[in-house]
């Protein structure tokens, strides 16, 4: 019974991210560009994500922390107003074509300035902070006009946070959209759901 509710929740979340030709999500800019193309072509492969236990665990960590911080803010333990799951988009011009860059920040803290929190849950703590997560925070800072982003990792081995103060520029965003390197990161193919059909799958680690 609860299992079904969890799957329904994830199904609804996936439906909020229906692909559109002129829309790039921030996450599209931090990963192999072929994945976005394959998501248009093979949407059935994405449905597996509904049932992935580690994604469900990640959702629960996000929801739990967001609720906790909302409660702490209400009780006066946090000197910021808090917004969770905040969506924003900016329109940019890429070679004469209007492109919308859209993203959803886990948490925005609003006081004298605005800062963001990006929550990452993982099975282990090696290699933190990850390059693609730092890139994601820089793009979010551009999208949400924040002074900085806190990259918060919650793993069984370590709970820790990193400050990302740099902000991506519009030129950086345009270059990322135009970058066709596939994969973008050497490890990506090992975890890619499209590796079962992709001719560019790389076996490097
Ligand atoms: S298998 Fe590798 S190159 Fe192909 S879509 Fe996945 S990450 Fe990109």
């Amino acid at each position: 019974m609860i299992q079904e509710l969890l799957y329904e929740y994830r199904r609804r979340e996936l439906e909020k991210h229906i692909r559109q030709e002129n829309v790039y999500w921030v996450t599209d800019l931090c990963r192999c560009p072929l994945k976005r193309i394959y998501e248009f072509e093979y949407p059935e492969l994405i449905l597996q994500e509904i049932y992935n236990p580690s994604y469900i665990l990640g959702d629960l960590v996000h929801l739990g922390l967001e609720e906790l911080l909302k409660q702490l803010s209400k009780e006066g333990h946090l000197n910021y107003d808090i917004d969770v799951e905040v969506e924003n988009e900016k329109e940019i011009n890429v070679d004469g074509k209007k492109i919308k860059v859209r993203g959803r920040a886990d948490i925005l803290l609003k006081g004298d300035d605005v800062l963001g929190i990006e929550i990452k849950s993982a099975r282990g703590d090696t290699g933190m902070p990850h390059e693609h997560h730092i890139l994601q925070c820089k793009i979010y800072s551009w999208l949400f006009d924040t002074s900085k982003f806190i990259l918060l990792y919650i793993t069984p081995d370590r709970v820790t946070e990193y400050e990302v103060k740099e902000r991506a520029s519009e030129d950086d965003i345009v270059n990322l959209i135009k970058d066709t390197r596939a994969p973008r990161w050497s490890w990506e193919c090992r975890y890619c759901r499209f590796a079962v059909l992709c001719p560019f799958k790389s076996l490097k680690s």
Side-chain angles (χ1 to χ4, degrees), residues 32 34-35 38 182-183 188-189 192-195 198-202:
C32 173
L34 279 180
K35 290 180 181 173
Y38 287 145
E188 259 188 307
C189 301
C192 177
R193 70 182 82 95
F194 300 109
C198 176
F200 301 98
K201 176 181 174 182
S202 159

Side-chain angles (χ1 to χ4, degrees), residues 7-205:
Y7 296 152
E8 265 310 308
Y9 170 78
R10 286 196 53 76
R11 208 169 278 130
R12 283 197 301 276
E13 286 300 300
L14 264 187
E15 281 163 7
K16 288 182 192 166
H17 287 80
I18 300 293
R19 296 246 61 122
Q20 292 166 268
E21 196 55 55
N22 65 335
V23 176
Y24 280 72
W25 285 85
V26 170
T27 43
D28 292 330
L29 307 180
C30 305
R31 60 181 193 158
C32 173
L34 279 180
K35 290 180 181 173
R36 180 175 181 274
I37 295 168
Y38 287 145
E39 284 176 3
F40 279 106
E41 290 177 5
Y42 305 105
E44 305 85 356
L45 281 177
I46 309 165
L47 298 178
Q48 296 171 10
E49 285 187 6
I50 293 170
Y51 310 98
N52 186 315
S54 56
Y55 289 164
I56 293 174
L57 198 57
D59 283 350
L60 296 176
V61 169
H62 275 72
L63 290 167
L65 189 66
E66 287 164 5
E67 280 308 310
L68 176 66
L69 291 184
K70 277 202 279 189
Q71 192 182 319
L72 292 175
S73 171
K74 210 180 331 172
E75 291 171 356
H77 299 296
L78 192 68
N79 293 329
Y80 289 94
D81 290 332
I82 177 167
D83 281 340
V84 303
E85 301 294 329
V86 192
E87 234 178 79
N88 198 26
E89 71 176 30
K90 282 187 177 176
E91 192 172 88
I92 57 171
N93 190 307
V94 181
D95 294 340
K97 199 170 154 194
K98 283 182 181 166
I99 297 288
K100 288 177 181 162
V101 178
R102 193 176 288 168
R104 188 156 65 159
D106 292 332
I107 296 172
L108 290 184
L109 297 178
K110 296 178 174 172
D112 293 337
D113 57 354
V114 180
L115 51 110
I117 301 178
E118 175 61 20
I119 307 163
K120 296 292 180 197
S121 57
R123 287 181 202 150
D125 69 340
T126 48
M128 297 186 331
H130 295 285
E131 230 178 318
H132 59 298
H133 293 158
I134 294 172
L135 177 62
Q136 191 179 359
C137 288
K138 288 180 187 174
I139 302 173
Y140 278 150
S141 275
W142 167 80
L143 188 61
F144 291 95
D145 295 316
T146 53
S147 57
K148 67 181 173 191
F149 249 78
I150 294 168
L151 180 51
L152 173 68
Y153 284 97
I154 299 184
T155 82
D157 302 320
R158 187 155 44 133
V159 174
T160 194
E161 61 186 47
Y162 301 89
E163 284 192 358
V164 181
K165 291 184 176 161
E166 300 87 7
R167 185 188 288 204
S169 66
E170 191 167 314
D171 281 350
D172 294 332
I173 309 295
V174 171
N175 288 334
L176 284 166
I177 289 173
K178 290 166 75 171
D179 185 357
T180 55
R181 234 174 340 128
R184 205 183 290 274
W185 313 99
S186 60
W187 47 265
E188 259 188 307
C189 301
R190 273 189 286 138
Y191 307 100
C192 177
R193 70 182 82 95
F194 300 109
V196 291
L197 51 83
C198 176
F200 301 98
K201 176 181 174 182
S202 159
L203 299 174
K204 282 188 228 151
S205 57

